[in-house]
Amino acid sequence: MELVKIYECLCDLTRLRVLHVLARGPLCVCHFQAVLAEPQVKLSKHLAYLRARGLVSVTRRGNWMVYALPSAPPPELRANLACLQDCAREQPIFRRDLARLERLAPALAETGPGCCGPATRPPRRARPAAPARAR
Amino acid sequence: MELVKIYECLCDLTRLRVLHVLARGPLCVCHFQAVLAEPQVKLSKHLAYLRARGLVSVTRRGNWMVYALPSAPPPELRANLACLQDCAREQPIFRRDLARLERLAPALAETGPGCCGPATRPPRRARPAAPARAR
DNA sequence: GATTCATATACCTCAAAAGGAATATAGTCG
DNA sequence: CGACTATATTCCTTTTGAGGTATATGAATC
């Protein structure tokens, strides 16, 4: 993987934040919305950009598109994502994202990365946990 | 230093190559020209971009502008520059740049980072080493 | 099939920036 | 001061891409 391609992915704050929280585990778009406090359209676009360049992979689970980091990233990508994790520790915007992610953790534990909607919005209908986990 | 600002500097191949060779030591523009095989105007622009964002510092020595990495970079910059060095090792374009730099090494040893012209062009007038080193 | 939910994409606007040609600027030397 | 060297900057063109509005697409459910 060309190094400059990686940096082209990292040079946007939204994408940087996406990759930073993704290191903690897979997420669907509506969880990204809650964690990053960004609109769906914006996130979808950036996720598409990352997907097109091999920085994230996506799996559909029913209504939910679940994004994850590549399971076997090339070494230069691995190194840069590790570097990002180290550096983000001291930066407020990334810490805030993680705080929001922690607040979501119970919901994630219950439904997995595909859920029934952002934590900020009450579920319209209860979703059974089983279908979300079934693959 | 904001992380995304660093990546904005790294997301251009020319700038990436500049930073990569600069880790080996200070260089003037015409040495960059020789090492990176890129035109002066292009390099000046990218160096200006990097300078404006604090990624390089510059010193004038007579006719020569000598660029260097910051002597005390913030931790996130240090980490990313180290990461770049590690990753560039396996990439042909960066290795070629280093090869050209090694080929220039004797000229650098003689005149320092400010020189009398690119190695590809014979010097019009011999420059004494002393003025280039004097600061 | 209609409805609903999740999310991708089309269309549009605007801004940033890469790169080249031309030229300005700063310094040196005779 | 003029000539020369090194290099920064201006002007211009083109490209890329961020982000918003609107809408299309895919899946689930009844």
Side-chain angles (χ1 to χ4, degrees):
Chain A
M1 189 179 277
E2 282 179 66
L3 258 194
V4 74
K5 292 297 173 200
I6 295 173
Y7 295 125
E8 278 165 7
C9 291
L10 297 179
C11 70
D12 174 81
L13 185 58
T14 305
R15 290 204 292 276
L16 209 40
R17 292 166 71 201
V18 163
L19 291 166
H20 174 245
V21 298
L22 257 194
R24 301 304 165 104
L27 282 178
C28 64
V29 180
C30 64
H31 273 151
F32 274 124
Q33 282 177 254
V35 170
L36 302 184
E38 295 286 354
Q40 177 262 321
V41 170
K42 184 171 169 179
L43 288 165
S44 279
K45 282 187 183 166
H46 285 297
L47 288 162
Y49 185 102
L50 292 172
R51 191 169 74 244
R53 290 156 182 76
L55 267 79
V56 299
S57 63
V58 63
T59 313
R60 182 180 275 280
R61 296 199 198 155
N63 278 348
W64 296 278
M65 305 293 277
V66 179
Y67 288 82
L69 292 179
S71 45
E76 55 279 350
L77 179 55
R78 182 191 299 275
N80 272 286
L81 292 177
C83 188
L84 165 60
Q85 289 301 316
D86 289 344
C87 298
R89 247 173 221 123
E90 309 302 329
Q91 312 229 340
I93 191 164
F94 298 102
R95 293 165 68 100
R96 274 198 298 273
D97 291 344
L98 282 194
R100 278 191 289 258
L101 184 62
E102 312 295 347
R103 255 178 271 142
L104 255 195
L108 280 178
E110 189 164 313
T111 65
C115 72
C116 60
T120 53
R121 186 160 44 103
R124 195 159 299 177
R125 280 177 299 184
R127 282 298 204 182
R133 288 185 187 277
R135 307 197 17 183
Chain B
M1 189 181 277
E2 282 180 66
L3 258 194
V4 75
K5 292 296 174 203
I6 296 174
Y7 296 124
E8 278 165 9
C9 291
L10 297 179
C11 70
D12 174 79
L13 185 58
T14 304
R15 292 202 291 277
L16 210 39
R17 293 167 68 201
V18 163
L19 291 166
H20 173 245
V21 298
L22 218 35
R24 301 304 165 101
L27 281 178
C28 64
V29 180
C30 64
H31 274 151
F32 273 123
Q33 281 177 256
V35 170
L36 301 184
E38 295 285 353
Q40 178 263 320
V41 170
K42 183 171 170 180
L43 288 165
S44 280
K45 283 191 184 165
H46 284 300
L47 289 162
Y49 186 102
L50 291 172
R51 193 170 73 241
R53 290 156 181 76
L55 267 77
V56 299
S57 63
V58 64
T59 314
R60 183 180 273 279
R61 295 199 199 157
N63 279 346
W64 295 280
M65 304 293 278
V66 179
Y67 289 82
L69 292 179
S71 45
E76 54 280 349
L77 179 55
R78 182 190 298 274
N80 272 286
L81 293 177
C83 189
L84 165 60
Q85 289 302 315
D86 289 343
C87 298
R89 251 177 216 121
E90 309 303 328
Q91 312 229 340
I93 191 164
F94 298 102
R95 294 165 67 100
R96 275 198 297 272
D97 290 345
L98 282 194
R100 277 191 290 258
L101 184 63
E102 311 296 349
R103 255 178 270 143
L104 254 195
L108 280 177
E110 190 165 311
T111 66
C115 73
C116 60
T120 54
R121 187 160 43 104
R124 196 159 297 179
R125 280 177 298 185
R127 281 298 204 180
R133 291 188 188 276
R135 306 197 18 184

